[in-house]
Amino acid sequence: MKKIAFTNQKGGVGKTTSTVNVGAGLSLMGKKVLLIDLDPQANLTYSLKMRTSRLDKTVYSVLKGEADARDVIVPHGDFDLMPASLELSGAELELANEPARECLLRDAIDVLYEYDYILVDCPPNLGLLTLNAFTAVEEVIIVLQSEYLALHGLSKLMNVIEVVQKRLNSNLEVRGIICTLYDNRKNLNREVVGHIREHFGSKVFETVIRDNVALAEAPSHHKTIFEYDDGSHGAEDYLKLAREIRNGY
Ligand SMILES: Nc1ncnc2c1ncn2[C@@H]1O[C@H](COP(=O)(O)OP(=O)(O)O)[C@@H](O)[C@H]1O
Ligand SMILES: [Mg+2]
């Protein structure tokens, strides 16, 4: 069993796309996978079209202690999802005075031993929800857009990870860095990925996720990239990445 959080406090860098499609790739390899949507924008949940009528219980109910993790999990094809809803946006404030407020997710999912992988899609900030994710997992995967300023803000993220390692979760490690939205025709993209590799060495996954329109289209069809266009660059890249993640180095 591996628990992995996909993170970057920037929005629009490919966290949700990576969580969904790495999860789908791992499930294609026969692994039992749970995706947890921990972003109040609930993009992951909506992109898989979990009907809101069925969502009277979400990860929010779990964090508030009003539901057990298993009561909230819904199946989606080959993997399972713990959905989010917009009310999660109130969680940061509402949970601010809870004792051990950073440990709520960890304690709630501790009982889910049936999964090979639990992947957590983080919100685009370093608030209480992200701290809950970092406390609940053993591995963090940082998602970077292959663009100018990709590394901007990364030292702050690393600081937060260090603080969590010291105070909340000594098992936590940075498993790897994904470079996404890569366009080989753009010099700048090549330079940025080169720079990221120079800086982080073998921490950077060999697989780079190319800019691929099918990846942007799949969510509006409520499909993973493998369901939407199995022959696309996006499907090829995410399957390769899922293999790297499964194999370790
Ligand atoms: N490799 C890619 N190629 C093309 N579009 C992508 C790619 N990865 C993500 N996108 C699109 O970019 C936008 C932001 O991606 P998303 O995964 O939602 O980022 P985040 O979760 O970090 O905010 C979405 O519209 C998504 O469909
Ligand atoms: Mg997202």
Side-chain angles (χ1 to χ4, degrees):
M1 143 86 85
K2 270 269 181 300
K3 302 191 193 100
I4 310 174
F6 289 72
T7 194
N8 187 332
Q9 70 270 37
K10 277 190 208 171
V13 297
K15 289 184 291 296
T16 301
T17 308
S18 296
T19 310
V20 168
N21 293 306
V22 166
L26 289 167
S27 80
L28 282 176
M29 296 170 197
K31 302 296 181 190
K32 192 156 172 52
V33 176
L34 171 69
L35 307 183
I36 299 180
D37 189 354
L38 206 56
D39 183 355
Q41 290 170 48
N43 288 346
L44 189 155
T45 303
Y46 295 133
S47 75
L48 295 171
K49 200 189 182 187
M50 305 315 299
R51 284 182 200 288
T52 33
S53 59
R54 291 196 52 197
L55 295 183
D56 49 327
K57 286 183 194 156
T58 64
V59 66
Y60 175 72
S61 337
V62 173
L63 293 175
K64 288 194 73 175
E66 293 169 357
D68 288 335
R70 282 203 186 83
D71 299 336
V72 172
I73 292 171
V74 284
H76 175 94
D78 295 330
F79 52 83
D80 289 348
L81 170 70
M82 188 184 289
S85 62
L86 294 176
E87 59 181 355
L88 189 56
S89 57
E92 302 260 350
L93 277 178
E94 280 172 48
L95 299 173
N97 296 318
E98 283 284 309
R101 59 188 182 274
E102 296 92 355
C103 306
L104 301 169
L105 183 67
R106 181 196 69 192
D107 294 349
I109 66 174
D110 225 20
V111 294
L112 301 176
Y113 46 76
E114 64 267 46
Y115 293 98
D116 298 311
Y117 289 92
I118 296 181
L119 308 184
V120 185
D121 185 21
C122 290
N125 59 56
L126 295 170
L128 182 56
L129 292 168
T130 295
L131 290 179
N132 264 272
F134 291 178
T135 305
V137 301
E138 302 98 53
E139 297 184 352
V140 166
I141 288 181
I142 299 170
V143 183
L144 293 183
Q145 188 173 351
S146 314
E147 264 294 347
Y148 184 55
L149 295 182
L151 297 173
H152 194 82
L154 211 59
S155 57
K156 187 157 181 218
L157 173 57
M158 292 299 191
N159 282 345
V160 170
I161 291 172
E162 253 172 56
V163 170
V164 172
Q165 282 166 333
K166 272 195 206 127
R167 298 198 191 147
L168 293 162
N169 181 6
S170 57
N171 294 324
L172 187 68
E173 61 169 317
V174 176
R175 169 60 200 284
I177 296 173
I178 310 176
C179 301
T180 59
L181 287 148
Y182 180 77
D183 185 344
N184 195 34
R185 291 163 302 183
K186 291 189 185 152
N187 282 336
L188 182 63
N189 278 205
R190 281 206 301 273
E191 274 172 31
V192 168
V193 171
H195 188 61
I196 293 170
R197 286 197 195 282
E198 242 168 60
H199 210 89
F200 293 99
S202 62
K203 277 284 178 209
V204 186
F205 289 107
E206 229 164 76
T207 310
V208 167
I209 306 299
R210 285 169 283 185
D211 194 329
N212 177 230
V213 67
L215 283 170
E217 289 167 354
S220 63
H221 297 266
H222 308 295
K223 289 180 172 169
T224 71
I225 192 60
F226 306 104
E227 295 165 329
Y228 180 66
D229 186 353
D230 202 27
S232 62
H233 281 166
E236 191 186 312
D237 293 346
Y238 272 113
L239 192 64
K240 226 173 113 197
L241 178 62
R243 242 182 241 129
E244 253 190 272
I245 289 170
R246 182 198 57 185
N247 293 344
Y249 338 107

